[in-house]
Amino acid sequence: EEVPKLFTPITCKSVTFRNRIVVPPMCMYSSTDGFLNDYHVAHYGSFALKRPAMVIIEATAVEARGRISAHDSGIWSDDHIVPLQRVVNVLKSQGTVAGIQIAHAGRKANMGTSWMPGGYHNLSEQEEGWPSDVVGPSESAFDEVHANPNALSISELKEIVQKWADAAIRANKAGIDVLEIHSAHGYLLHNFLSGNSNQRTDQYGGSLENRLRFPLEVAQAVRNVWPQEKPLWVRLSGTDFENPEILGHDETGWDIYQSIEYAKALKEIGVDVIDVSSGGNLPNVKYPVDKLYQVPLSNAIKHKANIATGAVGMITEPKEAEEILQKEEADFILVGREHLRNPAWTNRAASELGVHVKWINQYE
Ligand code: FNR
């Protein structure tokens, strides 16, 4: 009998994934000064015990002002390596591939978490915020709630490129197997990609070639220091939804057609997998949020840019996940919130697809 694709191993460079199930990065806003702690060991360990192929550790800031909140995970200093290594060791001890997403929040930095006093709001200095040091391609804010960003100078861009590379070096030292660059959801790299957030008139704004320049410099610098044999993933938003049609055009903003060009350029640099999400760069746009809604974006990038992809977003049913793979719309399936609700999603999927996946000995 044929093994479902969801449970067919796949090898990418030096890394073998025992199945296609991945826990995507999910911010926990539970760090102090960027350090992972006992909470994270328990949280990430709970997934590892249940045998997905890979767990991608949450968006981890390459510099302190690039955090979404004051409690984000961070990797801007060598001191972050050992606490990160504790989580990596827990994942690897269970045969789970250890991934991490490195990130810079750009113009969406400096926000409170929903559960802190005042909720989701622009942090003041008194709340450990850095409201006057939020940065982006231009001075336009995300919305009335977010800080007014400072437009980055060209010399600052060079410094930030180096920070991404330094973060990659540290992730490697911590034992991370798969590095993911966060280029989605309205954070710094996405701010540069999209004409909806990038109003620059220098070589980093205007034409698509110019808007791609800074994100590609980051990807190249990371690839240069990230070991050749280790996979590099990039998460992008396939559209800003300025045009509400998922495959609609938004030539001066950000759409799937520009995403395909970006993916081709990333492939040239040596990026292995595109993790395809959407949105996050514009307030007040309509999202066609429904089951599997981002899958058409993954399908377009996979076939038009000829690169492996991950599909994510409201994938909760194992049979649907299997169908995405069978239809070659993606190579990996990322299941986020459903993993928070049920960390044993892999075992559930196995049982629904009629495969035997052993629980760990202690649970059998
Ligand atoms: C997220 N998401 C997210 N995405 C990302 O690229 N980096 C991140 O750190 C986070 N953080 C985060 C926190 C929490 C609590 C949630 C629920 C989501 C988005 C996430 O990775 C995923 O793309 C979406 O949740 C959609 O997938 P699901 O949850 O529908 O399977």
Side-chain angles (χ1 to χ4, degrees):
E1 213 181 273
E2 237 177 90
V3 179
K5 264 189 133 174
L6 193 59
F7 288 94
T8 306
I10 186 171
T11 297
C12 180
K13 297 197 166 142
S14 65
V15 176
T16 297
F17 299 84
R18 60 187 158 202
N19 58 50
R20 308 301 180 89
I21 303 167
V22 174
V23 179
M26 287 182 279
C27 286
M28 290 291 116
Y29 307 119
S30 302
S31 297
T32 301
D33 297 327
F35 294 109
L36 297 184
N37 55 47
D38 290 347
Y39 168 79
H40 301 94
V41 173
H43 167 68
Y44 290 111
S46 76
F47 301 128
L49 295 175
K50 309 297 167 44
R51 308 284 194 210
M54 170 163 75
V55 173
I56 306 180
I57 295 167
E58 66 199 86
T60 294
V62 302
E63 65 170 339
R65 68 178 173 180
R67 288 173 296 169
I68 303 167
S69 82
H71 298 284
D72 285 27
S73 164
I75 191 163
W76 63 83
S77 87
D78 287 347
D79 294 341
H80 290 109
I81 296 171
V82 169
L84 170 59
Q85 202 165 34
R86 286 182 71 212
V87 176
V88 170
N89 290 347
V90 169
L91 295 175
K92 288 184 160 183
S93 73
Q94 301 306 314
T96 307
V97 175
I100 193 169
Q101 183 185 57
I102 54 173
H104 191 303
R107 68 174 186 167
K108 282 170 75 177
N110 191 56
M111 299 300 288
T113 52
S114 60
W115 61 80
M116 76 179 275
Y120 193 63
H121 68 287
N122 187 24
L123 295 173
S124 64
E125 307 273 359
Q126 292 73 30
E127 296 169 304
E128 301 175 83
W130 55 99
S132 59
D133 198 21
V134 170
V135 299
S138 308
E139 286 176 1
S140 69
F142 176 74
D143 62 12
E144 317 72 53
V145 180
H146 286 74
N148 291 318
N150 301 312
L152 289 160
S153 69
I154 288 177
S155 67
E156 285 175 304
L157 290 182
K158 294 216 177 342
E159 286 166 20
I160 293 178
V161 166
Q162 187 59 45
K163 285 178 180 166
W164 285 86
D166 292 344
I169 292 168
R170 293 186 188 112
N172 185 49
K173 285 185 180 157
I176 290 286
D177 302 304
V178 173
L179 191 68
E180 177 170 278
I181 294 174
H182 198 347
S183 179
H185 302 166
Y187 299 119
L188 187 65
L189 302 189
H190 188 178
N191 297 160
F192 274 82
L193 293 171
S194 172
N196 294 322
S197 43
N198 179 345
Q199 287 92 37
R200 296 177 77 98
T201 53
D202 62 5
Q203 68 267 41
Y204 290 99
S207 66
L208 175 61
E209 188 188 356
N210 282 357
R211 284 182 278 122
L212 295 183
R213 194 178 311 280
F214 176 62
L216 292 176
E217 285 175 1
V218 167
Q220 183 69 65
V222 166
R223 187 71 271 187
N224 289 348
V225 298
W226 184 243
Q228 280 310 310
E229 73 279 7
K230 289 192 179 185
L232 179 60
W233 290 33
V234 171
R235 175 169 271 201
L236 59 76
S237 283
T239 172
D240 278 1
F241 292 119
E242 172 84 304
N243 182 332
E245 291 295 319
I246 193 133
L247 301 178
H249 288 268
D250 175 16
E251 279 112 7
T252 57
W254 189 246
D255 59 16
I256 182 62
Y257 307 99
Q258 297 175 77
S259 299
I260 290 164
E261 296 310 310
Y262 181 37
K264 285 181 188 165
L266 290 168
K267 185 184 174 183
E268 269 310 285
I269 286 173
V271 168
D272 302 284
V273 176
I274 307 291
D275 174 1
V276 188
S277 189
S278 70
N281 200 36
L282 289 175
N284 309 320
V285 289
K286 215 169 155 278
Y287 287 66
V289 180
D290 205 346
K291 264 178 175 305
L292 320 184
Y293 74 109
Q294 292 173 153
V295 174
L297 300 170
S298 165
N299 183 53
I301 289 178
K302 178 170 169 58
H303 297 284
K304 295 289 190 326
N306 203 11
I307 188 166
T309 61
V312 64
M314 300 194 63
I315 304 170
T316 57
E317 300 310 307
K319 290 205 166 84
E320 292 169 348
E322 175 63 15
E323 212 174 285
I324 292 167
L325 298 173
Q326 289 293 345
K327 286 159 72 183
E328 301 197 344
E329 294 171 313
D331 303 271
F332 293 91
I333 301 292
L334 293 90
V335 175
R337 287 163 292 182
E338 201 60 21
H339 262 118
L340 299 179
R341 300 174 194 123
N342 175 11
W345 196 85
T346 298
N347 302 77
R348 177 192 156 201
S351 111
E352 289 185 21
L353 296 177
V355 222
H356 180 68
V357 169
K358 245 180 74 62
W359 293 80
I360 58 171
N361 290 333
Q362 296 90 329
Y363 292 7
E364 276 280 312

